[in-house]
Structures are given as C-alpha cells and as structure tokens.
Amino acid sequence: LAEEYLLNHREREEVIAAVTPDQAAQSLSADLKPLASRLVITRLTAGGAEIFAHQIERQGREGDTVTVLVNAITGAQEKIIVSRGDET
C-alpha cells in the first residue's frame, strides 16, 4: 500500500467534477442503501489511464457492499465491484 502511494502520488492538474454526487447516484438502483460517496482518481486497469470518478458505496439486499465508479466528467458508470459479506 505504501509503495502504491509512492508510485502514484504526484502533482496533477486541478479537475472540476461536471457531475455532482447526487447526479452520479441517480444512475444507481434505488434498491441499494446509501453508505458513502467520495471523489477519487483511480485506474480501471493496471497501467491504464487515470479517471476522475465518484466512488459510491451502497449496501445490497443481502448485505453485499456494492462499489460503483461513476465518471465525474461524463457521468458514465465505469466499474461495479460487489463484495460479499462473507469475504475477508
């Protein structure tokens, strides 16, 4: 984790989100209970281009945690990650 931080921490141009957290959340299922939301800069694949996104965490019906990355510039859903409650 520290190595990842050191490799990726650098000065970046300021980016302003064109999509608000509320707009990003509108594309998600109403069946998911809101948990948290934050702006992140991340890569979708190893070595891929960075994206500026709303990382939205929700809880599914069966206790699963659903993390959705919504592009903060375009509003497109970029990635959905489901973590089962029994995973460690």
Side-chain angles (χ1 to χ4, degrees):
L1 194 56
E3 179 182 359
E4 202 172 298
Y5 173 81
L6 292 172
L7 291 173
N8 292 303
H9 186 71
R10 60 183 169 80
E11 291 292 322
R12 293 181 172 86
E13 291 183 29
E14 183 177 358
V15 182
I16 298 172
V19 176
T20 67
D22 287 339
Q23 290 170 327
Q26 286 177 1
S27 67
L28 306 180
S29 170
D31 291 338
L32 300 173
K33 177 184 168 190
L35 295 176
S37 177
R38 65 184 181 147
L39 282 170
V40 298
I41 296 174
T42 189
R43 295 179 196 278
L44 298 177
T45 60
E50 292 181 332
I51 64 161
F52 182 47
H54 292 282
Q55 179 179 308
I56 303 170
E57 292 185 9
R58 300 284 176 110
Q59 185 173 29
R61 291 183 189 172
E62 298 183 23
D64 300 342
T65 299
V66 179
T67 303
V68 182
L69 294 174
V70 177
N71 189 303
I73 305 300
T74 67
Q77 285 188 14
E78 299 283 356
K79 190 171 189 176
I80 299 172
I81 304 161
V82 179
S83 302
R84 305 273 180 231
D86 58 357
E87 290 180 353
T88 54

